[in-house]
């Protein structure tokens, strides 16, 4: 794994926008616009490195599924902050009937510097983003810059194949709706959903488009409807389950949930059991089940324990994205561990393992799975230790 600098392609912004990346720039606090898609640098991996990382990702995915089963079978929903019995029951039912429910993708965030085992930072298997840039613009960048080279990137083909395989699980006779929140101002959610919709159409599915805010409720039929007043039988939503089950229409969501077998009126993708894999409590459960595993960092739910004195720790809200609410705590060897556990805002406390720096840039690997298989890589860089909304995306190549 190496980082190289390179001169960006002439007209790179127009090029990536035409390839679906309509948010190539990020507005910073000083009101300047700086590249989010940053092709002034790129990363190089060897084929053996990528093959080893693919094996790691698939092993981690299997461990996460086993951890989800442990949470359900031992009724540890409260550890994830899921205290509403109806929500816990919906998640448990979805887990037990998961073979009947479409499930498409997820993204592992990994700490890796090319010299040791990759370490799991977190797993987002409900509403992961940065998919468009990983699947499309970086592939075309490689073809322009390194024709004949290779890339850890089979995302597009695997997504189309996943929709083809799972089409039989969708309710017949109605389109699969694709929904994002209109509150997204930069276009990332919109284009992520648009890209997934395109892969479903290439798989032969009948699709339609709607924003979450446009979804209506028909009190006469007791069903969700689209803006043409058609029943919404299935919907891919880039909208977290923790919002879907707590907002104004949460009761209707639970009342009409198709959790497999067509017993309800609306099937949501990703399914409710993905709440188990997009919660930072998963990190502590994994460490409890696999202590000392080379691809895991020590993590706890009841406080930082020994981490406060030894390595330091990162406190992560159980739910959150783009580094929101994450705090970094250096080791303190002279005073007792702080009482940082907060029942109102529960956290996971994970060992501080600073992201590796390449040319002063802190890098995290976003490794994708489609269904249960490794499918691709996206790389983000940040100025600090937390990968936040100001991070940059850099392409990669296998040489």
């Amino acid at each position: 794994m190496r980082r190289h600098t390179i001169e960006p392609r002439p007209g790179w912004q127009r090029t990536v926008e035409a390839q679906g990346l309509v948010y190539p720039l990020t507005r910073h606090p000083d009101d300047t616009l700086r590249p989010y898609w940053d092709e002034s640098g790129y990363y190089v991996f060897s084929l053996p490195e990528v093959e080893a990382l693919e094996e790691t990702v698939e092993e981690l995915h299997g461990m996460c599924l086993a951890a989800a089963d442990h949470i359900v079978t031992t009724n540890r929903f409260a550890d994830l902050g899921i205290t509403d019995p109806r929500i816990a029951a919906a998640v448990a039912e979805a887990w037990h009937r998961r073979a009947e429910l479409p499930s498409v993708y997820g993204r592992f965030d990994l700490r890796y510097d090319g010299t040791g085992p990759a370490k799991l930072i977190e797993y987002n298997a409900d509403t992961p983003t940065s998919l468009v840039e990983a699947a499309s613009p970086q592939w075309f960048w490689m073809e322009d810059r390194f024709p004949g080279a290779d890339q850890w990137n089979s995302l597009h083909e695997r997504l189309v194949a996943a929709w083809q395989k799972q089409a039989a699980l969708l309710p017949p006779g109605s389109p699969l709706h694709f929904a994002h929140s209109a509150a997204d101002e930069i276009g990332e959610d919109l284009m992520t959903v648009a890209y997934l919709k395109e892969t479903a159409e290439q798989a032969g599915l009948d699709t339609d488009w709607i924003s979450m805010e446009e979804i209506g409720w028909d009190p006469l039929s007791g069903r969700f409807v689209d803006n043409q007043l058609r029943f919404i039988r299935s919907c891919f939503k880039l909208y977290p389950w923790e919002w879907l089950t707590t907002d104004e229409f949460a009761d209707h969501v639970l009342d009409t949930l198709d959790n497999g077998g067509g017993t309800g009126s609306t099937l949501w993708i990703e399914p409710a059991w993905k709440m188990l894999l997009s919660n930072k409590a998963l990190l502590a459960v994994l460490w409890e089940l696999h202590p000392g595993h080379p691809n895991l960092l020590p993590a706890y739910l009841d406080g930082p324990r020994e981490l406060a004195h030894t390595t330091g720790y990162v406190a992560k809200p159980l739910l959150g994205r783009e580094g929101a609410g994450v705090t970094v705590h250096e080791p303190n060897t002279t005073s007792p561990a702080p009482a940082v556990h907060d029942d109102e805002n529960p956290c996971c406390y994970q060992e501080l393992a600073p992201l590796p720096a390449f040319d002063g840039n802190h890098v995290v690997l976003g490794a994708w799975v489609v269904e249960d298989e490794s499918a691709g890589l996206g790389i983000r860089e940040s100025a600090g230790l937390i990968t936040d909304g100001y991070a940059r995306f850099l392409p990669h190549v296998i040489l």
Side-chain angles (χ1 to χ4, degrees), residues 78-225:
D79 286 341
L80 279 67
I82 301 175
T83 56
D84 185 325
R86 292 191 70 200
I87 299 175
V91 173
E93 182 186 29
W95 174 253
H96 291 308
R97 305 186 71 166
R98 62 191 179 279
E100 304 170 41
L101 296 169
S103 175
V104 185
Y105 72 145
R107 191 195 73 229
F108 285 95
D109 287 346
L110 304 174
R111 184 204 183 278
Y112 181 71
D113 62 5
T115 63
K119 300 287 187 178
L120 175 62
I121 302 296
E122 62 186 58
Y123 188 19
N124 187 341
D126 183 15
T127 57
T129 52
S130 75
L131 176 67
V132 174
E133 45 269 48
S136 179
Q138 78 162 340
W139 179 265
F140 292 116
W141 169 89
M142 179 195 69
E143 290 189 326
D144 285 346
R145 287 302 200 191
F146 298 95
D150 202 0
Q151 193 174 78
W152 183 5
N153 189 358
S154 58
L155 276 163
H156 190 86
E157 298 85 352
R158 290 185 184 276
L159 286 166
V160 173
W163 289 121
Q164 289 173 331
K165 178 181 176 181
Q166 301 190 56
L169 301 176
L170 297 171
S174 60
L176 171 59
H177 287 76
F178 282 79
H180 77 291
S181 174
D184 167 42
E185 296 180 349
I186 65 172
E188 181 176 17
D189 289 0
L190 182 150
M191 292 309 299
T192 300
V193 170
Y195 174 66
L196 285 163
K197 182 176 182 291
E198 177 186 345
T199 61
E201 289 170 351
Q202 290 184 17
L205 274 61
D206 179 21
T207 70
D208 207 339
W209 178 269
I210 196 169
S211 72
M212 294 298 297
E213 291 78 5
E214 289 177 310
I215 295 176
W217 175 254
D218 178 9
L220 294 178
S221 64
R223 302 178 74 169
F224 287 110
V225 296

Side-chain angles (χ1 to χ4, degrees), residues 23 25-29 34-36 186 188 321-324 380-382 386-393:
Y23 42 96
L25 305 174
T26 299
R27 188 172 297 278
H28 284 248
R34 306 177 200 173
Y36 163 65
I186 65 172
E188 181 176 17
R321 289 158 182 79
E322 300 290 354
R380 288 174 294 161
E381 285 185 345
S382 56
I386 298 174
T387 306
D388 56 19
Y390 302 110
R392 304 172 303 280
F393 187 98

Side-chain angles (χ1 to χ4, degrees), residues 48-63 110 152 293 295 372 374:
E49 270 185 310
V50 169
E51 291 173 339
L53 285 167
E54 287 180 318
E55 291 181 6
T56 295
V57 166
E58 293 185 3
E59 180 181 2
L60 285 170
H61 180 66
M63 290 163 57
L110 304 174
W152 183 5
H293 192 283
N295 300 121
D372 295 322
S374 168

